Amino acid sequence: MEEKNLEFQSELKAVPFEGLNSQEMNLIHKALGARDRSHSPYSNFKVGAAILMANGQVVLGANQENAAYPSGLCAERVAMFSAGVEFPKERMEALAVCVDERATNLPFPCGGCLQVMSEYEFKQKESLKLYLIHPTKELVYTTQSTRDLLPFSFNESHLPD
Ligand code: ZN
């Protein structure tokens, strides 16, 4: 059998704040504000997240740390799990994530959060837009789907019937 390369294309845009519409800016401001709800006494690194649901509601998340370190959870997953419980039948349209101003770069979600985003995209059969924000940088990273950051995810199609 011949060797093959599995290739993929990723579309990650760096957009200035002026290039975003008012609904997008509103979601970004909610993610910025959600950082105040962070429980991060160990890292002091506050991350906020905000999800725009298809019904127009916004669900917030912030990182929640724990003295037993692995028991904490990222802002994105706090927001997604909360949205999954609060609006179980509603589609997640967009997720904005904002890091602490001390971060050196624009943020990318961790692998665990990307896997959870991918699960919800699979569940709702529609993409989840991402906005990745640093409070003092002038650009926002946007993608149309989690697939741009996690092209090869594990999902229920991989499980046996
Ligand atoms: Zn994460």
Side-chain angles (χ1 to χ4, degrees), residues 11-150:
E11 193 175 327
L12 176 70
K13 284 188 185 161
V15 182
F17 282 114
E18 310 87 79
L20 299 169
N21 66 36
S22 61
Q23 190 187 43
E24 292 170 317
M25 283 309 295
N26 183 44
L27 189 66
I28 285 167
H29 281 121
K30 294 254 162 80
L32 270 161
R35 292 179 309 154
D36 295 339
R37 302 181 188 200
S38 164
H39 172 63
S40 45
Y42 308 104
S43 71
N44 247 328
F45 193 86
K46 297 179 188 308
V47 181
I51 299 176
L52 175 65
M53 306 300 296
N55 64 5
Q57 295 282 323
V58 173
V59 178
L60 301 181
N63 56 326
Q64 303 294 308
E65 293 181 352
N66 194 287
Y69 283 19
S71 302
L73 196 57
C74 303
E76 299 95 308
R77 268 182 280 176
V78 168
M80 285 186 284
F81 292 155
S82 178
V85 170
E86 203 159 336
F87 302 107
K89 300 206 186 305
E90 208 63 41
R91 192 166 47 81
M92 298 181 198
E93 280 191 0
L95 167 58
V97 188
C98 182
V99 279
D100 196 282
E101 44 254 317
R102 291 175 301 128
T104 46
N105 287 311
L106 282 152
F108 285 110
C110 75
C113 286
L114 288 172
Q115 178 64 33
V116 173
M117 289 171 201
S118 164
E119 175 76 20
Y120 284 111
E121 283 190 332
F122 198 79
K123 177 188 172 199
Q124 66 189 23
K125 296 178 179 57
E126 271 190 66
S127 300
L128 173 63
K129 274 176 108 170
L130 299 179
Y131 296 90
L132 308 172
I133 307 134
H134 186 293
T136 62
K137 311 263 181 207
E138 282 154 23
L139 293 170
V140 177
Y141 287 154
T142 71
T143 69
Q144 291 300 310
S145 167
T146 304
R147 283 187 303 280
D148 288 320
L149 299 180
L150 186 70

